[in-house]
Amino acid sequence: MSTRRDRLVELRRELHRHPEPAWKEFWTTARIVEELESIGVDDLYVGRDVLADKRLSVPEADELDAWMARAREAGADPNLLEKMEGGWTGAVAVIEQGEGPTVGLRVDIDGLPREESTDEDHHPAREGFRSETGAMHACGHDAHATIGLGVIEAVKDSDFSGTLKVFFQPAEEVIGGGKPMAESGHLDDVDYLYALHVGLDFPTGEVVAGIGGILAVTQFYTTFSGAPGHAGARPEEGRNAVQAMATAVQNLYGIPRHSDGASRVNAGRVGGGTATNIIPEEAFVHGEVRGETTEIRDYTFDRAEKVFEGAALSHDCECDIEIEGEAPSAESDEELVDIVHGISEAHPEVRQPTRRGELGGSEDATFLMQYVQDNGGLATYVGIGTDHPGGHHTATFDVDEDSLEIGVDVLSEAIEATSRRNPDSQS
């Protein structure tokens, strides 16, 4: 193994042992900052300095405090933890390297609230770097952060001319961190943006230069409020919130599709009531809608709101709809796809350079991509293939560590090539 590979693998495994869910990435951010200070960057921003004020799906204070205490016990810098108090996690690193464009790279850093497999066949369990926190890096964000740090090192040692900004974004898994990071001001001068994801059912050795099919999404939490009553003696006194919820769930799946493209709706978690002999006064639907485009997502969510309001009215209840997370769709620009594809074709470890692929899910990197594109810049979402024995978000997910160096090479070389691009050719 090369020295660089050893270092990337060691860092990825360290991050894998300490996963933290959305807005709780205290230790993770501190460890990334420690690494950035060791590498040496020109500017470094943390916490409130990298996020606009409005955040979605932020946990309760006691939950945040418990994860901050765990990070402190795990050795996180107390001064950095103070900057992140209240769940203001994440970082932005900047390298200034002469005249040229400003190029951004976005990587996400949060884990998922699920237990990791203890099976001996599971590589992290067998090799001793299984999660120690009760959460899990079940989507490869430990690899993303590692690749982001590796890219900074590689670009510093390259002929890159311009400014590089690497965005270590929190809270992707709840679709909550992309928008406040996009609106932080740090993207205002970004001319080109790369975002990445490992895996996605693309094998090690395949690089997808521009992933499309990123569905726009809105996640909601709808509560129904009625009135209690004795189910046997006085049922007429109750206003049944569970009936309203059940009506809404049934009708959500009847929302008409749109001729312009695909849409999705899902009532992922529902509940209500307290006992068999009490008319339930509270109920909820926790779900989401998605669309092939932002417009189709908006159409579907507008119909979903009408479904909730109609169900509440028909059962003499009230409803409250709270948006917990949302992200638009986005498309990868052909000019940057050309660059990544050309780099991939020349890389000896990339066995399958692929121009375009489909995600079929949602991602809030789209906020950053769209922000740059709306300002006249270009963006692409790159897939770095990795063999993963379990599917994304499962207890047995893992990454093939051979893909780490491939990701660093392709992205750093693409960023260097982008800095030589003639800005007059930008359309």
Side-chain angles (χ1 to χ4, degrees), residues 170-327:
E172 185 278 329
E173 294 293 0
V174 296
I175 317 293
K179 186 174 184 180
M181 185 160 270
E183 297 176 352
S184 65
H186 290 288
L187 275 99
D188 289 358
D189 62 346
V190 172
D191 302 298
Y192 308 103
L193 179 74
Y194 291 91
L196 80 128
H197 208 300
V198 298
L200 306 176
D201 297 324
F202 301 110
T204 302
E206 182 172 7
V207 172
V208 184
I211 289 182
I214 303 175
L215 302 178
V217 62
T218 294
Q219 297 174 336
F220 56 80
Y221 191 91
T222 300
T223 54
F224 293 92
S225 302
H230 192 288
R234 294 286 188 273
E236 73 281 0
E237 294 178 357
R239 293 185 289 120
N240 195 320
V242 165
Q243 279 187 296
M245 176 269 287
T247 298
V249 170
Q250 183 72 19
N251 291 339
L252 279 175
Y253 290 94
I255 292 174
R257 300 300 178 250
H258 199 289
S259 61
D260 286 344
S263 60
R264 302 283 189 272
V265 62
N266 189 51
R269 194 167 67 91
V270 301
T274 56
T276 61
N277 60 352
I278 300 173
I279 302 295
E281 61 189 294
E282 298 287 344
F284 69 88
V285 180
H286 197 187
E288 64 179 28
V289 298
R290 304 191 195 217
E292 189 172 332
T293 66
T294 305
E295 292 74 22
I296 295 172
R297 185 275 313 268
D298 291 345
Y299 156 83
T300 308
F301 184 63
D302 179 66
R303 291 298 184 99
E305 287 183 302
K306 290 179 170 61
V307 164
F308 290 131
E309 291 162 359
L313 180 64
S314 66
H315 294 284
D316 196 19
C317 293
E318 295 78 42
C319 73
D320 179 72
I321 307 165
E322 179 181 351
I323 294 177
E324 290 199 318
E326 60 180 352

Side-chain angles (χ1 to χ4, degrees), residues 384-402:
I384 304 295
T386 193
D387 297 332
H388 46 90
H392 287 266
H393 294 205
T394 70
T396 57
F397 180 85
D398 191 23
V399 303
D400 179 354
E401 290 166 333
D402 287 343

Side-chain angles (χ1 to χ4, degrees), residues 93-170:
V94 183
I95 294 174
E96 300 281 357
Q97 209 152 287
E99 293 295 322
T102 299
V103 184
L105 171 65
R106 179 271 196 182
V107 296
D108 43 12
I109 65 173
D110 55 325
L112 283 152
R114 66 154 306 128
E115 288 282 346
E116 184 166 7
S117 173
T118 59
D119 196 307
E120 273 297 306
D121 291 338
H122 182 54
H123 185 239
R126 185 174 65 252
E127 297 299 322
F129 63 96
R130 179 184 176 273
S131 169
E132 299 172 2
T133 68
M136 182 185 173
H137 273 301
C139 202
H141 297 189
D142 50 341
H144 298 172
T146 300
I147 291 170
L149 291 165
V151 165
I152 291 172
E153 276 193 308
V155 168
K156 278 195 69 175
D157 293 336
S158 76
D159 293 329
F160 172 82
S161 183
T163 300
L164 172 66
K165 293 185 175 184
V166 180
F167 299 87
F168 294 91
Q169 184 209 301

Side-chain angles (χ1 to χ4, degrees), residues 325-340:
E326 60 180 352
S329 61
E331 292 296 329
S332 293
D333 289 303
E334 189 68 12
E335 295 91 332
L336 296 190
V337 170
D338 284 340
I339 291 173
V340 176

